[in-house]
Amino acid sequence: MHFGIDENGRQVRVRLAYKNIIAGGEPGSGKSSLVNTIVAHGALSTDCRLWLFDGKQVELDPWRPVADVFVGNDMERALYRLAQLQHELDIRYAMLRKAGRRKITRDDGLDVILFVIDELALFSATYGTKEQREDFIRILRDIVARGRAAGIITVAATQRPSADIIPTSLRDLFGYRVAFRCTTDSSSDIILSVGWAGEGYSAKTIDPLSVGVGWLLAEGGIPQRFKAAYLTDADIRAIVAHARSIRTHYPDDDGTAGVPALVTV
């Protein structure tokens, strides 16, 4: 996927297959630009199913016409869909065990599932009961941990990068991490990992006017400064229209086509 450009004007491209990505930063820092770019790639891939969780119901709503599953601020529905995705994960792992392999490949004929959550904090710390929020994080941790090998890619974004929103045990499961402008070094480290701010890679130093600029960290590497690509509303409408013309499945009237996208036994 094309993410944007680096400080030398070169393209920043990321292979998200068998990976997950988490992005955080203060409101207006550019997270939505990156998330929209990722969803656009998924929408234009006919072998990709889009599962979109939009707690604010406005960030991902333009993509609803091409979403296989769209969840708003309904916590019960979010947990139902998470459980369904976890069940799909179990089925795919059963297939892998039977085939004696460790990961799904294109030859298996299974669609990639791009699972996007924006805003993570609303599901993990705001909506529903304490038990529901704990269940959400518990199931999400399992999906992030096991999903990579099964062709389920998780993309999570939050404007509240704090330890209660992104526990270390969850953060460390994401192979890619992006820190946009943060108000503190500790918030930057919550996304990238503790210690990077002290090494000079702190999102606190990003100019508040430099919207879309962030630090991209790939597992095993060092943070890379980049500027995220930006899609206007008109761009998104055009991409959605084209995606609808090339995708062979369509959402139900309520914007959810989830079950047909899943493996059946």
Side-chain angles (χ1 to χ4, degrees):
M1 295 181 174
H2 171 71
F3 268 26
I5 57 174
D6 65 14
E7 292 182 293
N8 296 311
R10 294 174 299 201
Q11 285 196 42
V12 174
R13 300 181 67 85
V14 171
R15 182 183 177 92
L16 271 189
Y18 308 119
K19 301 289 184 180
N20 300 299
I21 184 168
I22 188 166
E26 65 183 29
S29 59
K31 298 182 305 301
S32 294
S33 295
L34 180 61
V35 170
N36 279 325
T37 296
I38 294 172
V39 176
H41 278 278
L44 294 174
S45 300
T46 56
D47 59 353
C48 177
R49 296 294 184 253
L50 296 176
W51 285 53
L52 309 180
F53 282 39
D54 185 359
K56 291 186 287 187
Q57 302 189 89
V58 294
E59 297 294 343
L60 299 175
D61 189 68
W63 302 102
R64 189 192 288 251
V66 290
D68 298 274
V69 169
F70 189 95
V71 175
N73 60 358
D74 187 331
M75 194 63 172
E76 288 188 7
R77 183 173 178 79
L79 287 171
Y80 168 75
R81 287 302 191 178
L82 268 189
Q84 191 178 26
L85 193 57
Q86 189 179 44
H87 179 60
E88 169 73 0
L89 186 58
D90 291 337
I91 293 173
R92 292 192 177 196
Y93 264 84
M95 294 173 61
L96 286 174
R97 287 194 299 271
K98 185 176 181 179
R101 293 188 287 110
R102 293 192 295 176
K103 66 180 181 181
I104 296 293
T105 67
R106 185 183 295 273
D107 294 337
D108 290 310
L110 297 173
D111 290 340
V112 167
I113 296 176
L114 184 62
F115 172 39
V116 183
I117 308 171
D118 188 5
E119 151 79 43
L120 177 60
L122 295 178
F123 295 104
S124 65
T126 303
Y127 294 150
T129 64
K130 180 176 182 293
E131 290 74 17
Q132 287 177 319
R133 294 192 292 269
E134 290 175 348
D135 284 346
F136 187 94
I137 288 297
R138 176 181 55 80
I139 300 174
L140 175 61
R141 185 180 290 111
D142 181 40
I143 291 171
V144 176
R146 294 193 295 147
R148 302 196 308 174
I152 300 175
I153 300 167
T154 301
V155 178
T158 182
Q159 62 185 22
R160 291 169 57 187
S162 57
D164 60 324
I165 303 302
I166 312 172
T168 300
S169 60
L170 176 62
R171 189 273 317 282
D172 288 349
L173 296 173
F174 287 87
Y176 288 105
R177 306 164 198 169
V178 178
F180 290 99
R181 163 75 186 179
C182 292
T183 54
T184 65
D185 288 339
S186 60
S187 293
S188 180
D189 274 353
I190 287 293
I191 299 295
L192 298 179
S193 187
V194 175
W196 283 116
E199 295 291 328
Y201 303 101
S202 174
K204 178 185 176 182
T205 63
I206 296 174
D207 188 333
L209 298 180
S210 298
V211 179
V213 173
W215 291 105
L216 169 63
L217 175 66
E219 55 188 359
I222 62 173
Q224 175 186 6
R225 191 179 173 97
F226 82 112
K227 184 174 179 63
Y230 175 72
L231 295 173
T232 66
D233 290 344
D235 292 332
I236 293 175
R237 287 193 294 269
I239 293 171
V240 167
H242 181 61
R244 283 181 63 85
S245 72
I246 63 174
R247 293 170 75 88
T248 57
H249 65 289
Y250 296 92
D252 298 331
D253 291 340
D254 67 348
T256 58
V259 174
L262 301 179
V263 176
T264 56
V265 294

